[in-house]
Amino acid sequence: MSGKKILLVKENQILMGISKTRLKTEILAGITSFFAISYIIIVNPMILSDAGIPAGLSVFATVFSSAIGCLIMALWAKAPVILTPGMGVNAFFTYTVVVGMHLSWQQAVAISIFSSLIYMVIAFTRASEFLANAIPAVLKKGITVGIGLFLVTLGLEKAELIQSGGKRALLAAGSLSNPATLLALFGLLLSLILFLRRVPGGFVIGIIVTSLVGVLFHIGGTQATSISLSQLPKYSEILFKGDFSQMFSIKFLLAVFSMTMILVFESMGILEGILQDPSQFRKAFQASSVTTFISGFLGTSPTVAAAESASGIESGGRTGIVSLVSGILFLLSLFFIPLLSYVPQAAIAPVIIITGAVMMEQLATINFADFTDWFPAFLIIVLIPLTGSISTGLAFGFVAYPILKLAMGKQSEVHPIMYVLGLLFLAQLGFNSILV
């Protein structure tokens, strides 16, 4: 055997060794990401049912759009990102477009398809790189921290450690006499110990053990549903139902504008915030846009990159194997939806809380000495969780940044595109108030 062949064999052996040692980590990260976002299988249909889409059929759209999205992400972008119908945009779809604007869910689907088409044009042209380079680093960090704080808030709510404060306060502490809260605290402590000790698959172990404790002590999971595969033949009732009859109306066009802003900048912010490898951004952004476009035809609100993907990344996931595993689990979930109901929110909450806390570490890299940097980032950070809308937080931060820089004579620090984005986000805030 020649020296060159021997060298190639050795290189292949090294690569195979690396892939074998990484495979277990990637698979566990995929399982972690799936469990962290699995609540969407039940929650998304419940939200879309308020728009008039039957929950029993919407669950298929949720699962299929997520599985297809994860497959595209795995094969095209090779990134550890989960694509699934987004919690913020599904609320916009239902409560703003359908309930607030009095449009049908079929027209809302058409708005989603039209918006995602614009999103795809941006993603597959230099516009995506141009926008990514034009956005100041401090705002990107603010987006990461804001999404992290949003996840922490979401996790605390799922753990029932915080609740609505009523008239006295915005939020109040949950009761420690609540079994679900005690279970969540147990899960949080267990998951923290496993996380700090860097136990492989620690998040998955935490979810499974906490779920078993919940079953043992009869602390229920999410509400069980009557959804079954027997309803699959009826799924065609919501396929390809986009209604474009109002596409030239003011309401339709304003909704398209707002949804496009949400899709482009929410996806950009999440991907910038969670991806460890910046080189994965472009193709991940493209994969997200394609899946968003497909989701409308499947009969659901737009898909986005799930912030919960950060839990799998924090577990060590770095490649498309994570999204591939999650995609497979989404499909398998059709057979085990009743079992998913036994995974309590208290078991999922610790993973979301810890993941959010890790994302908030970016606060340490923000320049607090320059208030023109810090305050716009601060607006993003606090308004994302307080309004429950990533797009609203982005809007206020992007509007404030150029204004403060101009006021202090620091216009040289502002890329020209930031003035355009500031005006667009200001318009979005105005349009949203009109639409609602």
Side-chain angles (χ1 to χ4, degrees), residues 1-15:
M1 184 180 291
S2 66
K4 186 177 181 179
K5 288 184 178 179
I6 293 174
L7 182 60
L8 287 173
V9 170
K10 288 184 177 180
E11 287 180 350
N12 288 333
Q13 288 175 339
I14 292 173
L15 289 173

Side-chain angles (χ1 to χ4, degrees), residues 126-137 140 268 272 415 417:
R126 295 291 298 275
S128 61
E129 295 178 19
F130 184 67
L131 289 173
N133 293 331
I135 299 173
K140 293 178 183 178
M268 186 175 288
E272 287 272 2
H415 192 286
I417 194 63

Side-chain angles (χ1 to χ4, degrees), residues 94 127 216 276 297:
T94 298
L216 181 64
Q276 299 286 319
F297 296 102

